[in-house]
Amino acid sequence: MIGLISATAAGAVARDRLAAAWPGRAVVYDGPVREAVRRAFAECEQLVCFLATGAVVRLVAPLLVDKAADPGIVCVDEAGRHAVALLGGHGGGANALAVDVGEVLGAAPVVTTATDAVGIAGLDMLGLPVEGDVAGVSRAMLDGAPVALRADAAGPLPALPPNVSPDGAGPAVLYITDRIIELASQEAVLRPASLAVGVGASKDAPEDEVLGLIRDALAGAGLSPLSVAELVTVDAKAGEPGIVAAAARLGVPLRTYPAAELARIEVPHPSDAPLAAVGTPSVAEAAALAAGGELLVPKRKSQPEGRAAMATCAVVRRAPRGRLAVVGLGPGARDLLTPRARDELRRASVLVGLDQYVDQIRDLLRPGTTVLESGLGAEEERARTAVAEARKGHAVALIGSGDAGVYAMASPALAEAGADIDVVGVPGVTAALAAAAILGAPLGHDHVSISLSDLHTPWEVIERRVRAAAEADIIVTFYNPRSRGRDWQLPKALSILAGHREPATPVGVVRNASRPDESSRVTSLAELDPETVDMMTVVTVGNTATREIAGRMVTPRGYRWQSAPDSPAGESAR
Ligand code: SAH
């Protein structure tokens, strides 16, 4: 039995909702809270307390016996936003109870036991539609109970916890399939986006006719509409209202192909009617097959009563495509890692990166994530590894510091990647931007980044670019400015800039931006000491208008210091 205890009016409302949802499973303990908790603690296997965690900790502290005997306890906050598994996460079933309470009250389960903290709070968090006993299977996953994985071609899934595996004995079962299957309790199915539905329609074919045809075709073949990735048709039908509406109702995008492209695709059932109307002997089958795949439902027509059919459709199953996310981690600080980057890290089942960057985000990965880390210098190999893993159909995250496309992994990876995998980029806060924010506003006008590393770029090329920036009065941020073996490049580059800028031109030096040992200073072209610069540093040199104001580096947006851009004074000054 689950004992329910509350203290406030809001708590009582939520408590009663839970009691109503769980007749025979939960019982309300009324009266003074201390006494209610004491009785429930003695009599129930589990407690749900609509009280602050601190209050519950104080109330149960004198009652605790041991891990095996104590009940599982879940706390729900006043606003009903969080269901916190406070005590007995595994043994007492509090983790699973938090999931269940969350389902009823719309609260987020908060689970802090080690194996679950960065795991999945529920199956519905994996980014795929899910059906069946979602709470039952989530519970088993959270409890570390064996879950049998029955996957058809899976596609790029996030890492699943180690207790979910093809060898899992059940009774909990997780299917990954587009097929319609009978589900028992403790069984759930994730729906991969594996199906494409080709659709043809004559002008003004009704939405219900198109949608009904698609639903019948899928049902007839034992396929789930939740696995439909997209509707596809010919360009000429891009605005056909019945098709557009059917796609909207299914919640999928509509993609179209030129008739000439469809005409080239071999199909089992070509016909003259579409050839005359839109210029291809097949719309539904050809569009469905245009991106490859296996034809599961050949062309079929709608069957409206009392008139000719106005719609056709065909269904294709596509081979799963791997997914490569190229993720910028930002300069170092956790709060400069974007939420999108975090999501991509948690969406991946394979992580590829430089060991020191992996250390930066290891705690964010899902348990079960395969980590392929390597040392400095192995860039090409890292890129190849990441692409090869994606080609196998996995969800891969390739990480880089700052932005992964700036002097980093995106270029070698995308040089390697073909059209056979999906690629997504997640921008990151670059070292130049992080440094600029520390220095003040040095990048207020045109600026450029130049890497002083001549390991991969001949010095003549670097020097030509520095010269061009100098002549054009562009603010310059130097990356890779100086290392033990490369010490003359920075002074040389600065001397080129000094040929076109005053000795007093502000220069910002930022070391380890946003990292624990961050340091920075604003100096000048004349006074910068290259000895203070190393490979953890960026150096930003202002243009001829940049000033040091109150210790901060500021470049004006225009070349008129005095006038505000939109003020009347600004206007008259033009
Ligand atoms: N992709 C990264 C740059 C990688 S090149 C980005 O977008 O920022 C490596 C160089 O970047 C280093 O030699 C250093 O010059 C600079 N750098 C990277 N992180 C930095 C940080 N936190 N503080 C200062 N400089 C940094």
Side-chain angles (χ1 to χ4, degrees):
M1 194 57 80
I2 303 172
L4 308 181
I5 297 131
S6 66
T8 64
V13 171
R15 175 200 68 189
D16 291 345
R17 270 173 63 202
L18 211 53
W22 293 344
R25 183 178 172 201
V27 54
V28 171
Y29 281 76
D30 267 330
V33 171
R34 177 177 304 276
E35 179 55 20
V37 168
R38 200 192 53 75
R39 279 192 295 131
F41 197 95
E43 295 167 9
C44 298
E45 291 83 54
Q46 296 179 317
L47 274 61
V48 179
C49 300
F50 298 86
L51 299 167
T53 50
V56 178
V57 167
R58 288 181 198 291
L59 289 168
V60 303
L63 309 173
L64 297 176
V65 179
D66 69 43
K67 205 170 169 167
D70 294 335
I73 300 184
V74 168
C75 290
V76 179
D77 64 298
E78 184 82 353
R81 281 168 42 211
H82 299 111
V84 184
L86 186 73
L87 185 74
H90 289 292
N95 292 347
L97 182 60
V99 173
D100 287 0
V101 170
E103 289 248 315
V104 176
L105 299 180
V110 179
V111 171
T112 60
T113 45
T115 49
D116 307 318
V118 289
I120 49 175
L123 273 180
D124 44 356
M125 316 277 275
L126 288 177
L128 295 183
V130 56
E131 296 178 287
D133 186 358
V134 178
V137 176
S138 297
R139 242 191 337 257
M141 284 166 80
L142 273 179
D143 282 351
V147 177
L149 181 64
R150 304 267 177 271
D152 292 350
L157 276 181
L160 295 168
N163 57 315
V164 181
S165 93
D167 319 319
V173 183
L174 177 60
Y175 295 92
I176 305 174
T177 180
D178 54 27
R179 291 174 299 112
I180 291 172
I181 47 178
E182 287 266 334
L183 294 173
S185 89
Q186 289 214 61
E187 294 190 354
V189 55
L190 288 169
R191 296 302 187 186
S194 53
L195 305 175
V197 181
V199 187
S202 20
K203 191 166 161 8
D204 294 328
E207 169 189 340
D208 286 346
E209 184 170 341
V210 177
L211 191 62
L213 171 67
I214 295 170
R215 289 200 191 283
D216 288 351
L218 291 168
L223 297 169
S224 167
L226 292 177
S227 274
V228 174
E230 58 182 11
L231 298 192
V232 280
T233 187
V234 64
D235 280 350
K237 295 293 174 184
E240 186 59 45
I243 300 181
V244 172
R249 290 272 293 277
L250 289 166
V252 299
L254 173 66
R255 181 156 47 143
T256 67
Y257 293 95
E261 194 175 330
L262 297 185
R264 282 196 295 272
I265 294 169
E266 285 238 6
V267 297
H269 304 98
S271 93
D272 290 338
L275 187 58
V278 290
T280 165
S282 166
V283 172
E285 285 182 346
L289 284 165
E294 176 196 359
L295 188 62
L296 300 181
V297 182
K299 178 172 84 176
R300 55 186 275 170
K301 290 184 182 166
S302 52
Q303 292 170 318
E305 260 173 60
R307 61 170 170 77
M310 295 179 80
T312 58
C313 86
V315 182
V316 159
R317 179 185 284 139
R318 293 176 180 163
R321 284 165 66 85
R323 185 170 193 279
L324 175 64
V326 186
V327 182
L329 302 180
R334 178 54 60 84
D335 60 355
L336 291 180
L337 176 90
T338 66
R340 190 181 297 187
R342 179 186 293 248
D343 287 349
E344 284 296 344
L345 296 176
R346 296 177 59 73
R347 200 193 179 297
S349 66
V350 180
L351 182 92
V352 182
L354 188 63
D355 40 18
Q356 71 196 68
Y357 300 149
V358 175
D359 287 341
Q360 205 174 309
I361 46 83
R362 202 182 298 273
D363 61 301
L364 292 176
L365 303 176
R366 286 184 194 283
T369 305
T370 304
V371 177
L372 305 173
E373 48 194 313
S374 44
L376 263 175
E379 270 184 21
E380 303 283 324
E381 187 202 318
R382 266 200 297 285
R384 267 198 301 278
T385 303
V387 171
E389 289 295 319
R391 280 209 177 105
K392 288 185 208 159
H394 294 142
V396 180
L398 175 62
I399 57 171
S401 85
D403 184 276
V406 174
Y407 308 121
M409 294 303 301
S411 326
L414 299 204
E416 187 77 21
D420 55 339
I421 59 172
D422 292 329
V423 174
V424 291
V426 181
V429 176
T430 63
L433 293 181
I438 292 163
L439 294 169
L443 307 184
H445 213 283
D446 300 333
H447 55 275
V448 67
S449 290
I450 298 180
S451 166
L452 291 184
S453 168
D454 52 0
L455 295 180
H456 302 292
T457 309
W459 177 254
E460 301 78 73
V461 173
I462 298 172
E463 187 171 322
R464 179 148 44 87
R465 291 177 186 174
V466 175
R467 224 170 267 295
E471 283 163 11
D473 197 25
I474 296 174
I475 302 144
V476 183
T477 299
F478 291 115
Y479 275 74
N480 304 305
R482 185 169 178 275
S483 69
R484 227 167 289 142
R486 284 190 306 104
D487 56 1
W488 56 264
Q489 286 86 346
L490 180 63
K492 174 75 188 166
L494 293 173
S495 75
I496 295 170
L497 291 175
H500 295 79
R501 298 177 198 184
E502 295 297 323
T505 302
V507 176
V509 179
V510 180
R511 184 166 189 275
N512 279 326
S514 93
R515 294 175 187 152
D517 44 354
E518 169 186 306
S519 65
S520 70
R521 70 193 172 284
V522 179
T523 167
S524 68
L525 266 182
E527 270 160 25
L528 172 72
D529 176 6
E531 292 287 324
T532 60
V533 173
D534 65 9
M535 280 298 275
M536 260 80 83
T537 310
V538 284
V539 176
T540 297
V541 182
N543 66 15
T544 51
T546 306
R547 297 285 177 271
E548 187 182 329
I549 299 175
R552 304 185 189 100
M553 201 172 156
V554 184
T555 305
R557 288 196 52 205
Y559 291 100
R560 283 162 286 112
W561 260 110
Q562 302 308 323
S563 56
D566 296 313
S567 67
E571 289 296 329
S572 61
R574 237 161 244 171

